[in-house]
Amino acid sequence: MNSSQILFFTLSAYGDPGPLRFLYFSLVLVLLLLIVFCNVLLIAVICVTRSLHEPMFLFLCSLFANELLGSSGLFPFLLLQILADVHRVSAPLCFLQVFVLYLYGSVEFFILAVMSYDRYVAICRPLQYHSLMTPQKVAVLVALTWALPFLTITALVGMSAPLPLCRSVIDKIYCGNYAIVKLSCADTRLHNIYGLSYTVLSVVLPALSILYSYARILQVCCSGSRQTRQKALSTCTPHLASVLNFSFGCCFQILQSRFETRRASDPLQVFLSLYFLTCQPLFTPLLYGLKMAKIQDACQQLLCGGRAAAPAQLQA
């Protein structure tokens, strides 16, 4: 059987939810609506508030946009599959989902690495911050965080799509590149090498950059004043928590995709495979919205400003 004969993939990790089908559908729908609301709200707040037009908040705006991208690649698909009796997906749609989800993961790590560099410059070289983080440099960094993953994922999917396939059953609840490569009847050593190289470029190198930045920040905090430590704690805590949360989800996802799992429909495995695609898009805006005072104040002004302005005009 060659690739032209396989028009659909079957997702075998879905169990029979029975009467809980509509409960799962409702929970996923509510989660999607929360993710869209939180991320769109913070993007709007950053765009309309002049005081937030700084490098750190512009990187955050890009991060929130990426959370929407990742959610759009999973949640509508998940909602349809929950209601379906037969869990099948067409081959073109499957590869499109691979492209979107892998792009989301790569962009997320690159943005987090750029944000760690921004915090390193702000804390370790504060007098040179504005000369180093110019608007032109910020624009170039944001463009690179999207362009590099786009090129690498395009090559990844371009190598996997023409593969001749002998099977059509994917042991997951959504499409994954390596899960498709394992279905091939051809020699996939080149694909495995490129897949590992992609992992190093998209995960390992940004992780090393983040570790280096925080090592330098920690070094400055240990030898600096109390004010420096407070500044580092207030600005780095949300970012560090976001990095740790996303890294945990990605590490498990990589290990799960590279090693065989006997019970693909095991609830714990399903939850952990969805963790970085479902929790991170909601965790990130809530974390930054609750922890950063500037964003809190801007949200209050945007949501309550009109209500506060009306009584003032009546009094005048």
Side-chain angles (χ1 to χ4, degrees), residues 12 21 248:
S12 64
R21 182 190 305 267
F248 167 76

Side-chain angles (χ1 to χ4, degrees), residues 183-201:
L183 303 178
S184 175
C185 345
D187 184 4
T188 60
R189 283 178 293 182
L190 181 61
H191 299 77
N192 291 332
I193 292 172
Y194 185 82
L196 292 174
S197 302
Y198 157 78
T199 301
V200 171
L201 176 64

Side-chain angles (χ1 to χ4, degrees), residues 16 36 54 57 72 74 78 101 110 125 146 156 169 181 190 195 200 204 208 222:
D16 182 14
V36 172
E54 301 175 3
F57 297 105
S72 67
L74 175 69
L78 199 59
L101 295 183
F110 274 98
R125 306 174 69 178
W146 288 87
L156 184 72
V169 178
V181 170
L190 181 61
V200 171
V204 177
L208 291 176
C222 292

Side-chain angles (χ1 to χ4, degrees), residues 11 27 48 117 165 201-202 281 303 305 312:
L11 305 171
L27 291 175
V48 303
Y117 170 74
L165 304 177
L201 176 64
S202 301
L303 296 176

